[in-house]
């Protein structure tokens, strides 16, 4: 079977390996639009089974608002290399240190805005709790205060059990036989057709999926710790979310003293469901908290 060509970066953006003190990470880097005044740099972290391409539809509107945006595949995610069978490489603390190295490697003149979707939000939170100084703000997109819902934990367990006994390609076929992947614990929805999503799935490290899936099912509530960090926060979600119920995200925003945005017509992935309103909401928040 011929593999599909990778999704092309958005106009003006480029895909390349970002070299950091902790290794190379695949990124899509979109510069500020030529006719826009530069306002800052943002680092975008995807969610569980996701990839940097999950932000493709947000790059252009954010570039038009003056923001350079860099979406990254984390260690063992899609096009970023990572060990296939060493789960310790994907401990949350290790992934958080990767984020700090990525922020440093961007070479920005000022702190960067950090945005994480779902699992990426929890990794972003861990990075901020290690060292908030590289960041101008933190945006949590559909990313809750602690572990995922009971129903989603069951789906993640189903996936982990399958990965324990089957190779990645066979797990993909088993998932497809059961229904839509995002409904049966399989890969998150993304851009592109079935073969593009299969390619993304096969690019993931099995150990990364197992380790981060376990983190999602056991994450403690660290909202109090985050609230003590002197960093502006933004909690954004759709109007419906089965991973972290919307009222739970409302309460988390209240505890953080954070800006709260609910994007109409969006569910767990506002960046894909409603990319333009999501980008505008994010840019509005960043505008109010310029990097200095």
């Amino acid at each position: 079977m011929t593999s599909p060509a990778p999704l092309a970066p958005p106009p003006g953006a480029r895909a390349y390996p970002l070299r950091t003190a902790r290794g190379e990470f695949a990124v899509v880097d979109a510069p500020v639009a030529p006719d826009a005044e530069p306002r800052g740099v943002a680092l975008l972290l995807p969610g569980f089974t996701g990839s940097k391409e999950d932000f493709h539809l947000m790059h252009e509107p954010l570039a038009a608002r003056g923001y350079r945006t860099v979406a990254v595949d984390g260690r063992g995610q899609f096009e970023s290399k990572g060990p296939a069978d060493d789960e310790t490489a994907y401990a949350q603390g290790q992934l958080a240190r990767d984020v700090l190295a990525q922020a440093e490697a961007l070479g920005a003149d000022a702190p960067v805005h950090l945005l994480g979707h779902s699992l990426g939000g929890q990794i972003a939170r861990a990075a901020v709790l290690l060292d908030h100084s590289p960041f101008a703000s933190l945006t949590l997109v559909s990313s809750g205060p602690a572990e995922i819902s009971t129903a989603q934990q069951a789906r993640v367990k189903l996936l982990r059990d399958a990965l324990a006994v089957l190779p990645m390609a066979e797990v993909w076929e088993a998932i497809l036989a059961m229904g839509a992947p995002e409904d049966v614990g399989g890969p998150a929805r993304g851009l592109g057709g079935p073969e593009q999503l299969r390619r993304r799935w096969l690019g993931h490290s099995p150990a990364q999926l197992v380790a981060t899936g376990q983190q999602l099912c056991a994450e403690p509530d660290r909202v109090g710790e985050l609230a003590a960090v002197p960093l502006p926060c933004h909690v954004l979600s759709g109007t419906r979310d089965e991973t972290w119920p919307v009222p739970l995200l409302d309460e988390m925003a209240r505890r953080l003293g954070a800006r709260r945005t609910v994007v109409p017509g969006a569910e767990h992935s506002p960046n894909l469901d409603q990319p333009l309103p999501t980008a505008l909401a994010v840019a509005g928040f960043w505008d109010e908290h310029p990097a200095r």
Side-chain angles (χ1 to χ4, degrees):
M1 181 181 295
T2 302
S3 297
L7 282 174
R14 65 188 183 103
Y16 64 92
L18 177 69
R19 295 180 179 179
T20 81
R22 291 177 61 83
E24 294 186 346
F25 297 89
V27 301
V28 170
D29 188 339
V32 174
D35 57 349
E37 178 184 352
R39 298 184 65 88
V41 180
L43 181 62
L44 315 178
L45 312 183
F48 183 60
T49 75
S51 68
K52 60 192 178 301
E53 288 73 19
D54 294 342
F55 299 106
H56 262 28
L57 301 178
M58 292 178 59
H59 288 295
E60 281 192 90
L62 290 171
R65 288 287 292 264
Y67 291 98
R68 172 191 172 199
T69 49
V70 183
V72 59
D73 287 337
R75 183 179 304 277
Q77 255 185 336
F78 190 25
E79 294 181 319
S80 289
K81 294 181 180 179
D85 53 8
D86 179 11
E87 294 178 29
T88 63
Y90 307 105
Q92 189 184 76
Q94 295 297 325
L95 300 179
R97 288 177 176 85
D98 287 346
V99 173
L100 295 175
Q102 292 155 11
E104 180 182 19
L106 294 181
D109 295 331
V112 304
H113 297 286
L114 182 60
L115 180 150
H117 171 238
S118 195
L119 170 71
Q122 298 204 329
I123 294 170
R125 179 173 73 178
V128 165
L129 291 175
L130 281 177
D131 181 6
H132 70 275
S133 64
F135 306 113
S137 72
L138 173 64
T139 298
L140 303 173
V141 178
S142 302
S143 187
E147 76 279 0
I148 56 178
S149 67
T150 301
Q152 289 297 322
Q153 288 186 44
R155 292 176 179 178
V156 171
K157 183 180 185 303
L158 179 67
L159 179 60
R160 287 170 33 223
D161 289 348
L163 288 169
V165 296
L166 295 172
M168 291 286 285
E170 291 186 27
V171 173
W172 175 258
E173 295 304 323
I175 288 170
L176 290 184
M178 291 189 291
E182 64 270 21
D183 292 337
V184 294
R189 188 169 64 81
L191 293 180
E195 280 305 307
Q196 290 282 3
L197 297 181
R198 180 179 185 274
R199 178 176 178 272
R200 179 176 75 169
W201 168 257
L202 294 178
H204 275 70
S205 157
Q208 190 269 355
L209 292 170
V210 171
T212 57
Q214 177 59 34
Q215 289 168 30
L216 286 170
C217 295
E219 178 75 1
D221 187 325
R222 305 186 72 186
V223 175
E225 294 176 66
L226 183 59
V229 175
L231 194 70
C233 292
H234 183 194
V235 176
L236 184 147
S237 74
T239 55
R240 180 173 178 270
D241 197 312
E242 294 184 355
T243 306
W244 287 280
V246 170
L248 192 65
L249 299 174
D250 294 339
E251 174 63 12
M252 182 178 74
R254 186 196 65 76
R255 292 170 62 195
L256 288 172
R259 171 179 285 200
R260 177 73 173 106
T261 299
V262 178
V263 180
E267 296 192 12
H268 185 61
S269 298
N271 44 306
L272 290 169
D273 298 336
Q274 296 289 340
L276 181 56
T278 299
L280 295 178
V282 168
F285 172 66
W286 293 343
D287 287 350
E288 293 184 6
H289 301 283
R292 302 189 187 280

